[in-house]
Amino acid sequence: MQKYHPTEADASAGSTYTAEYLRVRGLAERGVANAQHSLGFMYFNGQGVEQSYEQAVAWYRQAANAGLEHAQYNLGVMYQKGQGVEQDYLEAARWYQLAAEQGYAAAQYNLGWLYAKGQGIEQDSAKAMHWFSKAAEQGDAGAQNNLGMMYDTGKGVPQDFRQAIQWYRKAAEQGYARAQFNLGLRYDNGQGVPKDAGQAMSWFRKAADQGYAPAQFNLALRYDKGDGVPQDSQKAIQWYRRAAEQEHASSQFNLGLIFDNGQGVPRDEQKAMDWYRKAAEQGHAAAQNNLGLRYDHGQGVAQDYEQAHFWYRKAAEQGFPAAQYHLAMLYDCGHGVPQDAQEAVFWYRKAADQGHLRAQFDLGLRYENGQGVPQDLRKALSWYRRAAEQDYAAAQYMLGRLHDSDDGPAPDCVQAGDWYRKAAEQGHTLAQFTLALRYDTGHGLVRDYTQAQHWYLQAARQGHARAQLNLGLMLLAGQGAPADAGQAWMWLTMAERAGAPAAAKYRQLAAARLDPAGLAQAREQLEMLPG
C-alpha cells in the first residue's frame, strides 16, 4: 500500500499548464531541484505536456539525487508500482529509506509496509514497527492504524490491546476508515475496551459511510441477525449490496443466500446464482460449493455434473469440508467423473478430518464394507463414533449395530443399547425398531413390554412394516397395555399393506374379535393415519 503526496498544487488548466510547464522546465534544466520534482510531477499527470512515466522518473531522479525528500519518495513509488521503470521493490526501499531518514512521513509509512510484507527486503517486523512509529508520531493515519494492528497481533512488539486501541483511535478520529473498522471490532469483541455494541455499531457505520466494504459487511450482518440493532432485512440487503458492488466476496455470497431463501425479498434463483458466481469467481469457498450444488441438482440451472465437479473441486482444494464431501460423492457415484472409490475415500477423509458428520459416517461405511479401502471394522467403529458423538443419529445406530454383533470389533450389548437409544430419541426409525425389539425379547435389556410398545409405535408411525406388525401383535395379546383389538387391526392392516409377512392372518384374528361397530371405528381411525 503506497501513498502519493505531490507537493505542488495543480495549475488551473489548458494554456496555463503549458506556460507553467515552460517556466518550470527552464528552472529544472538549470538544476533547481524543486523545479525538477515539479517537472516530474507534470509528466506524471500530463499537465502541460504529454504524460510520460519515463520522463517523470528521469526528472524525479535528478531531484532525488539532489537530496529532495519528496522526490526520493515519489521515485520510490514509481519503483514500487513499476511505473516508467521495471518494478523493483529493493530500489523502492532504497529511495524510501533516504526520504524516511529526512523525516518524510509518507516514505516512513511505505518503508514500514515493505518491511512488514518482506517485499524487496527481508521481512522484519521490528523495523516495520520502527518506521510506522516514526510516521504515526507525525500524525500519519495509515501508520497509526498499522501500529495499532501490530500491537493487536503482537508482531514486532509484545501484544497490547490497550496500545492498539490508542493508535486505532488516533487514526479513526482523523476519519481513517480502516482504523474506524478496527476500533469497531475491538468494541465488538471487548478487547482492550469494555464490550459495547453501540460503540461498535457507531464506528462500523463511520467506516461504512466512507465506503469501506468490510465495515459495510459487518453492518449488514448485524441488521441481518438483529445483533445489537433491531433485525431489518432491508437494511441488511442495502449494506450487503453496497459492499458487494465493491467486489466484497462474503457480501456477494450472503446476497446469494438472501435471494436463495427469499429473506426480505421475493425468492429469485437467478439472482442467487448470479451473486454466488460473483463470489465464487473471487475464490469464496462457500459460494463455490453452493454453485456446485446448483449444477449438481439442476437447481435454477441445467444439471451439469462437470460444472458441479469444477466448482466443488475449487472449494475442496481450499479445504472447505462440505465441498470435499460433495466431491467425494461425485466420485462415489461416477457423476461427471469416472467412478473412483479410492478418490471418493480420499475426499471423504479430508472432510471427515475436519469434523464433517456425513463424511465421518460415510467413511465408516467404506471401512465396514471395504469400499475403496481394505475392510477394517475397528476403523469403521472409530469413524462412526466420531460422528455419533456429535449426535449424528445414523452413526449412532451403526455404532450400536457394531457393538451388538458378537463377531464385531468390540461386542458390548450395554453400549449397543445406549447408542440405539440415542439414535431412537432423534427419530431414527431402525434404531427405534431395534430398541423396541430388545425390550420385547429382553436381549441386552430387562424385558419391558411397555417400553417395547412405545418404541414400536414410534417406528410404526414412520412406516416401518415390522414395527407395525409387532405393535399389532402386542396390542392383540395385551402386552405392555390392555388388549385393544381395534388398534391391533389398524396396525396389522398397515403392516399388511407394507408387505409384512403373516400380517394378513393376524389382521383377520383381530377382526374376528371386533363387532361391526368396533371394526367401523377401527376403519375410521385407519383412514386418519398418514400414508
Side-chain angles (χ1 to χ4, degrees):
M1 179 178 291
Q2 58 280 328
K3 300 176 178 178
Y4 196 91
H5 287 185
T7 55
E8 282 77 29
D10 289 346
S12 55
S15 60
T16 306
Y17 280 143
T18 303
E20 179 66 6
Y21 164 74
L22 293 172
R23 185 187 72 80
V24 170
R25 174 124 197 164
L27 292 170
E29 288 173 345
R30 290 200 293 275
V32 177
N34 275 318
Q36 291 167 340
H37 175 261
S38 296
L39 192 58
F41 181 70
M42 296 180 86
Y43 272 111
F44 184 88
N45 290 288
Q47 292 178 344
V49 67
E50 186 177 347
Q51 186 188 51
S52 170
Y53 288 147
E54 290 77 10
Q55 283 293 313
V57 167
W59 287 108
Y60 282 153
R61 191 184 304 280
Q62 289 193 50
N65 284 331
L68 199 65
E69 70 275 12
H70 40 280
Q72 293 166 340
Y73 166 76
N74 283 349
L75 190 56
V77 171
M78 302 293 275
Y79 273 109
Q80 189 172 355
K81 288 186 172 183
Q83 292 175 320
V85 288
E86 188 174 340
Q87 190 175 50
D88 187 333
Y89 290 118
L90 181 59
E91 191 68 3
R94 183 172 81 83
W95 288 109
Y96 287 150
Q97 179 99 26
L98 289 170
E101 288 173 350
Q102 295 189 69
Y104 197 71
Q108 293 167 340
Y109 172 85
N110 280 13
L111 186 58
W113 260 111
L114 292 184
Y115 275 115
K117 298 292 184 183
Q119 289 182 323
I121 48 181
E122 188 175 349
Q123 196 278 337
D124 190 325
S125 294
K127 287 184 178 177
M129 186 79 182
H130 170 78
W131 289 113
F132 285 147
S133 296
K134 291 281 190 186
E137 287 163 3
Q138 295 190 67
D140 187 288
Q144 290 169 340
N145 176 69
N146 285 7
L147 206 53
M149 291 176 68
M150 296 190 82
Y151 277 113
D152 216 342
T153 58
K155 286 187 177 177
V157 66
Q159 190 175 50
D160 187 331
F161 292 134
R162 291 188 180 279
Q163 281 283 337
I165 293 293
Q166 174 189 325
W167 288 109
Y168 286 149
R169 192 178 300 280
K170 284 180 182 289
E173 288 173 351
Q174 292 191 66
Y176 194 75
R178 184 171 295 186
Q180 292 169 336
F181 172 70
N182 286 340
L183 193 55
L185 287 176
R186 292 303 146 263
Y187 277 110
D188 202 25
N189 300 327
Q191 289 180 318
V193 287
K195 193 169 184 177
D196 188 326
Q199 281 287 313
M201 281 294 290
S202 173
W203 287 110
F204 287 147
R205 188 176 297 279
K206 287 178 187 292
D209 285 339
Q210 292 193 71
Y212 190 62
Q216 293 170 335
F217 172 72
N218 272 28
L219 210 53
L221 272 180
R222 275 147 185 79
Y223 281 115
D224 202 352
K225 300 177 185 298
D227 181 9
V229 290
Q231 198 281 334
D232 190 325
S233 294
Q234 293 309 309
K235 285 186 178 178
I237 291 166
Q238 170 195 334
W239 286 110
Y240 280 140
R241 191 179 294 277
R242 287 178 67 175
E245 288 169 353
Q246 295 187 70
E247 307 302 324
H248 189 270
S250 292
S251 295
Q252 293 170 334
F253 172 69
N254 282 12
L255 276 177
L257 288 176
I258 283 170
F259 282 107
D260 214 351
N261 299 323
Q263 179 189 341
V265 290
R267 190 166 185 270
D268 190 323
E269 289 188 343
Q270 188 55 56
K271 284 184 179 177
M273 189 82 172
D274 290 344
W275 285 114
Y276 285 149
R277 188 179 299 279
K278 286 177 186 291
E281 287 172 350
Q282 291 195 74
H284 192 285
Q288 291 169 339
N289 176 66
N290 280 20
L291 206 52
L293 279 169
R294 286 177 159 271
Y295 280 112
D296 195 351
H297 301 294
Q299 184 185 359
V301 66
Q303 189 175 53
D304 187 330
Y305 290 128
E306 289 184 4
Q307 278 291 305
H309 174 266
F310 174 81
W311 289 110
Y312 284 152
R313 182 171 286 274
K314 281 190 170 294
E317 288 173 350
Q318 291 190 69
F320 195 72
Q324 292 169 337
Y325 174 73
H326 294 138
L327 188 59
M329 290 184 69
L330 289 185
Y331 281 108
D332 226 352
C333 301
H335 287 166
V337 288
Q339 191 172 32
D340 188 331
Q342 289 183 336
E343 188 73 4
V345 166
F346 173 82
W347 288 110
Y348 281 136
R349 190 185 305 281
K350 289 279 191 185
D353 283 338
Q354 295 190 71
H356 192 282
L357 297 179
R358 288 289 303 277
Q360 291 172 338
F361 173 72
D362 282 6
L363 202 52
L365 285 175
R366 266 98 202 125
Y367 275 110
E368 184 174 359
N369 299 319
Q371 293 175 305
V373 288
Q375 186 182 46
D376 188 327
L377 295 183
R378 290 198 174 277
K379 286 185 177 177
L381 190 78
S382 172
W383 283 112
Y384 286 147
R385 185 177 298 279
R386 287 177 67 173
E389 287 173 348
Q390 296 184 69
D391 286 330
Y392 190 58
Q396 291 169 336
Y397 169 73
M398 296 300 283
L399 193 56
R401 198 175 56 77
L402 280 183
H403 280 305
D404 213 2
S405 171
D406 291 336
D407 298 329
D412 187 329
C413 63
V414 174
Q415 276 208 63
D418 289 344
W419 286 114
Y420 286 145
R421 182 179 299 281
K422 287 179 186 291
E425 287 172 349
Q426 292 194 69
H428 192 280
T429 309
L430 287 175
Q432 291 168 339
F433 172 73
T434 306
L435 192 59
L437 199 60
R438 290 168 73 91
Y439 277 118
D440 195 357
T441 61
H443 173 62
L445 292 169
V446 176
R447 177 175 280 172
D448 186 329
Y449 288 136
T450 303
Q451 282 290 310
Q453 190 178 125
H454 167 77
W455 289 111
Y456 279 143
L457 177 61
Q458 304 309 308
R461 284 173 172 165
Q462 296 194 71
H464 192 284
R466 285 190 60 196
Q468 292 167 341
L469 173 64
N470 287 6
L471 178 60
L473 291 175
M474 292 190 82
L475 288 164
L476 195 60
Q479 291 176 318
D484 187 328
Q487 286 286 304
W489 180 89
M490 183 182 71
W491 286 111
L492 290 166
T493 302
M494 293 286 286
E496 181 184 3
R497 290 177 180 177
K505 178 178 70 171
Y506 291 113
R507 180 182 63 79
Q508 291 169 3
L509 283 176
R513 297 183 187 181
L514 292 168
D515 58 24
L519 186 58
Q521 185 180 11
R523 289 183 191 280
E524 287 179 11
Q525 290 177 340
L526 178 64
E527 293 304 316
M528 294 173 65
L529 285 176

